[in-house]
Amino acid sequence: MTKIHRQARLFLSVISALIPTVFTSPAIALATDQPPDWTDFAKTAKRFVAIESPSSVFPFKTAKAGLGKALVIAHYFPFFPISYEGLPPDKDYYAKEFLSVSGENGKHARQGGFLRERPLPTPFQSTPQFYDANFAIDVERAARIGIDGFGVNLLSLTDKTFMPAARKLLDAAVASSTGFKIFPEPDMTTLSGLTPLGLADTLMLFATHPGALRIDGKLLVMPIAAEKYPVAFWQQFTTIMSQRGYPIALMPCYYDPAINTMAKYRNISWGAAFWGTRGPSAGNNAAEVIAEIKKLGYSHWMIPVSPQDSRPKDLLSFEAGNSRSYKNQWDAAIALGAKQVQIVTWNDYSETSEISPSSFTKFAFYDLTAYYTAWIKAGSPPPLSRDAFYFVQRRQIFRPDKLIQGARWSLAGNPPWSNDIEVVALLTKPGELVLKSGDSTVRKMAGAGLQTIRVPASAGTATFALKRGHRIIARITSPISIDPNPDRHDPTYGGSSSLRLGRNNNGG
């Protein structure tokens, strides 16, 4: 057993133990029974995103959905819509129940609250069909940075959250006219007692919808932890779909990418995907898995990339090392010439792995995703028209065993905890980077392109400067201030984007 297999098995054992049996969404207050006007929603979403993310906030040309040398998809978790009930963001369920220590009758008090951030609110909270409109915004936001589609997590096939959300996303994708597509990711960790016929019946929604993602004329189906069900199950499912005239491209997303596991499913699979590990060496680990997938004869494979992973509900976190984990994974995808990439995730706030515009990460991971997506789709780094800088840092010095801030957190994975402030710089030409926090100052001579600099974190705000020769080209103060006395543990890495500072969309 290789090092990656040992890490993958450990990761599998951790997350399998933490997956809830049922996610029950807060009641969604739909204000009208009028059929959704998806064309109108799409137009509204397009106008909103055009204002939120104009070309001026990107120092490069973003990629287009549906075009390019690689397929880039994002894992979508329907349990966390932009808004549940259309109330103002300081009065809605996120604010009152998920972010508050006392929320949901104190159920999450020991953990300091269920979540540490929320989707960045939109101005459409109180419109009659706010819930549908927000799906259109998710689609438009993702398409704006070149993402090709959402893989929708189907934690349940029968409740009122997951399949209804999938239908809305399919309709929103068609109405967007961006080339954006939707495909199913049935979550086999929670779908117990399922039959091949039952799954086929449910996924006919995707098979018959023009908004579904098809590869080589086949519907892409990517079951999470496909190995939870035997090979015979997937053979029967594939046969049923073919007999109905809807062939599928089955791509198991393995939780346990052991050679013997993947070998068993090779002959029934169009390709192979895997959930991956987390941390600054996650990309190296992924490269090892890809090498083994190739040895097994899979003709197609998808590599995962994830910015961070921390779970307040479980008092558990992986150390991402600022953006190092995300960069390491994208570097691996680019070096391997990946033709399919899965971003884990678009909006799973319970695992803090979201890249969607959010209340604390803001647009930092969203904008960095735009850069990497443009790179992998073009096969080369996108030319930079101007300098841009992204702070990636925590809002506290994270000390998981400081009990005055709440119950102790556990570290998952190998890297130890670290407390640094980082700036990711996209430079048009070489320069000197200077980053200061408290009494510590770090200087670095950097070439053109994507560069990073880190300094040990101290309480207060950090400052960054770019120098060329004797001139200061840019000077920025981080909008995130590190609290010396936080009231709860929070390992989340937030962010800011220099080209968005001062805008009215909370992009700082």
Side-chain angles (χ1 to χ4, degrees), residues 283-445:
N284 305 73
N285 296 338
E288 292 184 36
V289 175
I290 296 300
E292 292 171 353
I293 288 173
K294 291 179 178 178
K295 288 179 183 177
L296 290 172
Y298 282 90
S299 54
H300 305 281
W301 46 269
M302 183 178 289
I303 191 169
V305 295
S306 184
Q308 59 184 325
D309 191 321
S310 65
R311 309 176 184 202
K313 68 184 189 303
D314 304 309
L315 298 171
L316 180 78
S317 181
F318 295 79
E319 177 53 68
N322 305 85
S323 75
R324 277 174 285 188
S325 179
Y326 205 39
K327 181 179 186 300
N328 183 257
Q329 293 167 78
W330 275 108
D331 285 348
I334 291 166
L336 292 168
K339 300 303 181 185
Q340 288 98 26
V341 178
Q342 177 172 216
I343 300 165
V344 183
T345 64
W346 175 257
N347 65 335
D348 191 345
Y349 289 85
S350 67
E351 298 182 0
T352 325
S353 55
E354 61 277 353
I355 65 152
S356 177
S358 302
S359 59
F360 183 44
T361 55
K362 301 295 186 183
F363 290 84
F365 288 118
Y366 178 84
D367 289 351
L368 291 174
T369 299
Y371 178 77
Y372 287 120
T373 298
W375 185 339
I376 204 163
K377 283 194 162 192
S380 59
L384 299 173
S385 60
R386 53 199 178 281
D387 302 311
F389 315 101
Y390 309 89
F391 273 96
V392 180
Q393 63 171 94
R394 293 186 174 121
R395 52 188 151 202
Q396 64 180 240
I397 306 299
F398 184 58
R399 298 185 178 95
D401 54 355
K402 196 171 182 180
L403 299 183
I404 195 173
Q405 295 171 13
R408 187 182 187 280
W409 282 56
S410 296
L411 173 67
N414 291 327
W417 300 116
S418 61
N419 282 291
D420 293 328
I421 294 173
E422 178 186 68
V423 169
V424 179
L426 297 180
L427 302 181
T428 56
K429 54 186 178 181
E432 182 184 10
L433 310 180
V434 183
L435 183 57
K436 184 177 186 300
S437 175
D439 295 330
S440 299
T441 300
V442 175
R443 301 174 182 272
K444 179 180 178 179
M445 297 303 299

Side-chain angles (χ1 to χ4, degrees), residues 64-392:
K64 300 285 188 182
L67 299 175
K69 296 181 178 181
L71 175 74
V72 179
I73 61 97
H75 181 82
Y76 190 97
F77 196 53
F79 184 76
F80 295 111
I82 295 174
S83 173
Y84 287 108
E85 70 282 75
L87 293 174
D90 62 336
K91 295 180 174 62
D92 66 2
Y93 205 90
Y94 280 110
K96 297 295 186 179
E97 308 298 341
F98 281 170
L99 294 172
S100 171
V101 174
S102 60
E104 296 196 314
N105 297 316
K107 183 167 64 174
H108 313 291
R110 183 170 179 269
Q111 298 92 339
F114 183 48
L115 304 180
R116 292 299 184 268
E117 72 164 347
R118 59 169 298 156
L120 198 63
T122 71
F124 308 109
Q125 303 290 345
S126 59
T127 56
Q129 291 180 311
F130 70 92
Y131 188 64
D132 296 334
N134 285 326
F135 283 107
I137 290 174
D138 270 333
V139 166
E140 191 65 36
R141 278 174 166 171
R144 176 65 183 91
I145 59 173
I147 294 174
D148 297 300
F150 287 146
V152 184
N153 184 299
L154 299 178
L155 206 65
S156 169
L157 303 182
T158 58
D159 78 343
K160 296 181 180 180
T161 298
F162 292 88
M163 286 301 294
R167 182 185 294 276
K168 293 177 186 297
L169 286 167
L170 286 162
D171 291 342
V174 173
S176 75
S177 300
T178 58
F180 197 84
K181 299 294 181 180
I182 308 295
F183 69 96
E185 294 192 25
D187 195 328
M188 311 314 289
T189 63
T190 61
L191 297 176
S192 59
L194 194 61
T195 66
L197 179 60
L199 182 60
D201 287 345
T202 300
L203 296 192
M204 288 300 292
L205 167 65
F206 295 88
T208 58
H209 202 290
L213 177 60
R214 293 170 176 83
I215 299 179
D216 299 334
K218 301 177 180 180
L219 172 69
L220 179 62
V221 177
M222 194 162 75
I224 301 170
E227 66 270 26
K228 295 284 186 180
Y229 277 69
V231 171
F233 175 94
W234 297 112
Q235 287 175 320
Q236 294 174 39
F237 165 68
T238 302
T239 299
I240 292 169
M241 295 299 288
S242 294
Q243 290 173 343
R244 293 180 176 182
Y246 299 101
I248 66 165
L250 182 67
M251 190 175 225
C253 183
Y254 298 108
Y255 265 179
D256 181 8
I259 292 177
N260 62 345
T261 300
M262 295 190 293
K264 288 192 297 184
Y265 294 83
R266 165 64 189 91
N267 292 334
I268 62 166
S269 302
W270 176 84
F274 55 102
W275 200 244
T277 57
R278 304 289 182 263
S281 62
N284 305 73
N285 296 338
E288 292 184 36
V289 175
I290 296 300
E292 292 171 353
I293 288 173
K294 291 179 178 178
K295 288 179 183 177
L296 290 172
Y298 282 90
S299 54
H300 305 281
W301 46 269
M302 183 178 289
I303 191 169
V305 295
S306 184
Q308 59 184 325
D309 191 321
S310 65
R311 309 176 184 202
K313 68 184 189 303
D314 304 309
L315 298 171
L316 180 78
S317 181
F318 295 79
E319 177 53 68
N322 305 85
S323 75
R324 277 174 285 188
S325 179
Y326 205 39
K327 181 179 186 300
N328 183 257
Q329 293 167 78
W330 275 108
D331 285 348
I334 291 166
L336 292 168
K339 300 303 181 185
Q340 288 98 26
V341 178
Q342 177 172 216
I343 300 165
V344 183
T345 64
W346 175 257
N347 65 335
D348 191 345
Y349 289 85
S350 67
E351 298 182 0
T352 325
S353 55
E354 61 277 353
I355 65 152
S356 177
S358 302
S359 59
F360 183 44
T361 55
K362 301 295 186 183
F363 290 84
F365 288 118
Y366 178 84
D367 289 351
L368 291 174
T369 299
Y371 178 77
Y372 287 120
T373 298
W375 185 339
I376 204 163
K377 283 194 162 192
S380 59
L384 299 173
S385 60
R386 53 199 178 281
D387 302 311
F389 315 101
Y390 309 89
F391 273 96
V392 180

